Amino acid sequence: QVQLLESGGGLVQPGGSLTLSCEASGRAFTGNTMAWFRQPPGKDREFVGAVKRSSGMPSYRNSLKGRFIISRDYARNTLTLQMNSLKPEDTAVYYCGATNRLLITSSLAGEEQYEYWGQGTQVTVSS
């Protein structure tokens, strides 16, 4: 059974930084594509960014480019999201998603593409 466990959420002031981690476990897990999504209060879940094993280069939601950085440690089966210059509108529950399939780039933002999900971690940006 595959499990994803997020950590690192919390309260941060505007302009601050926070790093989230997602640790994957399970014999069936290869995690050829892993992603971060977030769900702001009262809104639908939205794509943050993803990384494919084949390319190693993350893809990001356009509005987050330059502030958020995704990295993958394949040896430790972890996915990291470094968030900088945080804004109140970044407040959300952040979710880690994964699939053993190697998604094409145009499919990365589709949450229906990911069969494994973590429980989510709350990030609150407020003074």
Side-chain angles (χ1 to χ4, degrees):
Q1 185 176 356
V2 175
Q3 290 187 328
L4 302 180
L5 182 63
E6 300 103 334
S7 61
L11 174 64
V12 62
Q13 292 187 342
S17 297
L18 203 61
T19 299
L20 306 182
S21 293
C22 172
E23 182 176 356
S25 61
R27 293 181 63 184
F29 183 77
T30 60
N32 285 317
T33 309
M34 292 189 74
W36 287 101
F37 285 75
R38 67 183 184 182
Q39 187 166 17
K43 297 184 179 180
D44 293 333
R45 190 152 55 180
E46 62 186 29
F47 176 72
V48 172
V51 61
K52 300 187 293 183
R53 182 184 292 271
S54 59
S55 69
M57 295 296 294
S59 298
Y60 298 96
R61 186 181 187 84
N62 285 336
S63 61
L64 301 178
K65 289 180 180 178
R67 291 198 300 124
F68 285 19
I69 301 171
I70 291 174
S71 58
R72 177 81 190 270
D73 185 332
Y74 291 95
R76 298 182 179 182
N77 261 345
T78 58
L79 183 72
T80 300
L81 176 64
Q82 180 181 338
M83 304 182 291
N84 302 310
S85 302
L86 283 163
K87 305 174 182 180
E89 52 263 42
D90 294 317
T91 295
V93 178
Y94 283 73
Y95 295 92
C96 174
T99 176
N100 287 340
R101 294 176 295 126
L102 193 60
L103 299 180
I104 59 175
T105 300
S106 60
S107 297
L108 291 175
E111 61 176 297
E112 71 281 357
Q113 300 292 338
Y114 301 88
E115 62 264 33
Y116 306 118
W117 290 95
Q119 81 290 347
T121 185
Q122 176 70 48
V123 172
T124 302
V125 184
S126 174
S127 56

